């Protein structure tokens, strides 16, 4: 029955992704997740331990999918930003769940408690920062930004259209997906000029 267990776990993650994307951690209900997955609440607690554990599993799965389908190429950071932009357009739940994580897992002092920190994103960012630092050390990337600053700027630029308020989006009615993508690629390219 291992196949059944894995299928149930996948259905729960898929249903939870939709629920957390729409309602966040606080607004999500395990009853709705279980019903949407054709499962029950007991299985959520069995597989994930808690609603927080389920949220972390969803976030980890999204990080894993994004990092495996959109690997960073330090020799083409503008292209990487463009591919991230594409991924965010094609999978809007990623940015929504990331926003809920920032809102609901960050303390008033701006830090994330250790219990709420997600190792997948921390490891992904560490690996990227190390790759950027190595490329800076051997001259493939300019060194006028610290590696973590450069990564942060690239990630924020790639997500710029997905993090704006609807009122700003209304101003961009004539802006196509292709144009927005090109703005992202060009902006990251300019970051790399001395």
């Amino acid at each position: 029955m291992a196949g059944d267990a894995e299928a149930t776990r996948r259905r729960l993650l898929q249903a939870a992704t939709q629920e957390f994307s729409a309602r966040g951690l606080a607004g999500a209900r395990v009853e709705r997740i279980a019903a949407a997955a054709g499962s029950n609440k007991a299985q959520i607690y069995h597989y994930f331990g808690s609603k927080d554990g389920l949220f972390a599993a969803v976030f980890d799965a999204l990080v894993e999918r994004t990092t495996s389908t959109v690997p960073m190429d330090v020799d083409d950071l503008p292209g990487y930003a463009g591919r991230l932009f594409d991924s965010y357009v094609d999978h809007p739940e990623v940015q929504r769940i990331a926003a809920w994580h920032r809102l609901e897992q960050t303390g008033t002092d701006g830090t994330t408690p250790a219990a709420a920190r997600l190792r997948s994103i921390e490891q992904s960012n560490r690996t990227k920062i190390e790759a950027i630092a190595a490329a800076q050390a051997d001259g493939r990337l300019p060194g006028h930004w610290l590696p973590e600053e450069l990564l942060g700027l690239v990630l924020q630029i790639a997500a710029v259209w997905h993090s704006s308020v609807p009122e700003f989006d209304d101003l961009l009615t004539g802006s196509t997906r292709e144009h927005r993508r090109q703005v992202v690629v060009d902006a990251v390219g300019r970051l790399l000029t001395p």
Side-chain angles (χ1 to χ4, degrees):
M1 302 305 155
D4 291 342
E6 188 54 37
T8 299
R9 191 175 188 284
R10 275 195 310 272
R11 286 194 317 272
L12 287 168
L13 284 170
Q14 184 176 14
T17 298
Q18 297 307 311
E19 179 76 4
F20 289 134
S21 176
R23 295 179 174 88
L25 178 58
R29 296 291 171 258
V30 291
E31 297 84 3
R32 282 194 295 257
I33 295 168
S39 184
N40 60 58
K41 288 180 1 181
Q43 287 182 316
I44 290 173
Y45 296 108
H46 170 72
Y47 290 115
F48 305 102
S50 65
K51 186 168 77 166
D52 286 347
L54 179 57
F55 183 86
V58 165
F59 198 92
D60 283 343
L62 293 176
V63 168
E64 189 175 306
R65 182 183 74 196
T66 302
T67 56
S68 67
T69 59
V70 189
M72 186 183 77
D73 178 357
V74 293
D75 295 314
D76 184 18
L77 288 180
Y80 170 62
R83 291 187 303 279
L84 269 179
F85 166 86
D86 290 336
S87 176
Y88 296 154
V89 171
D90 295 339
H91 302 285
E93 69 277 8
V94 172
Q95 285 298 306
R96 289 185 59 84
I97 290 176
W100 286 117
H101 175 66
R102 281 190 303 274
L103 289 169
E104 297 180 321
Q105 301 290 317
T106 303
T108 55
D109 62 353
T111 62
T112 304
R117 298 176 96 180
L118 299 172
R119 278 174 265 165
S120 59
I121 195 71
E122 287 181 345
Q123 183 56 48
S124 173
N125 287 334
R126 264 193 228 99
T127 301
K128 290 172 185 159
I129 288 167
E130 289 167 4
I132 290 170
Q136 287 176 323
D138 66 21
R140 289 180 292 142
L141 285 176
H144 53 271
W145 305 102
L146 293 174
E148 57 273 18
E149 293 169 343
L150 182 54
L151 176 62
L153 289 166
V154 170
L155 296 176
Q156 291 303 310
I157 290 170
V160 67
W161 305 118
H162 310 287
S163 58
S164 60
V165 295
E167 294 79 6
F168 184 75
D169 289 343
D170 292 344
L171 300 173
L172 303 168
T173 54
S175 180
T176 65
R177 173 182 174 156
E178 293 76 20
H179 177 75
R180 290 181 185 199
R181 185 187 198 280
Q182 193 59 53
V183 168
V184 165
V185 170
D186 292 346
V188 173
R190 290 184 182 222
L191 282 178
L192 303 178
T193 58

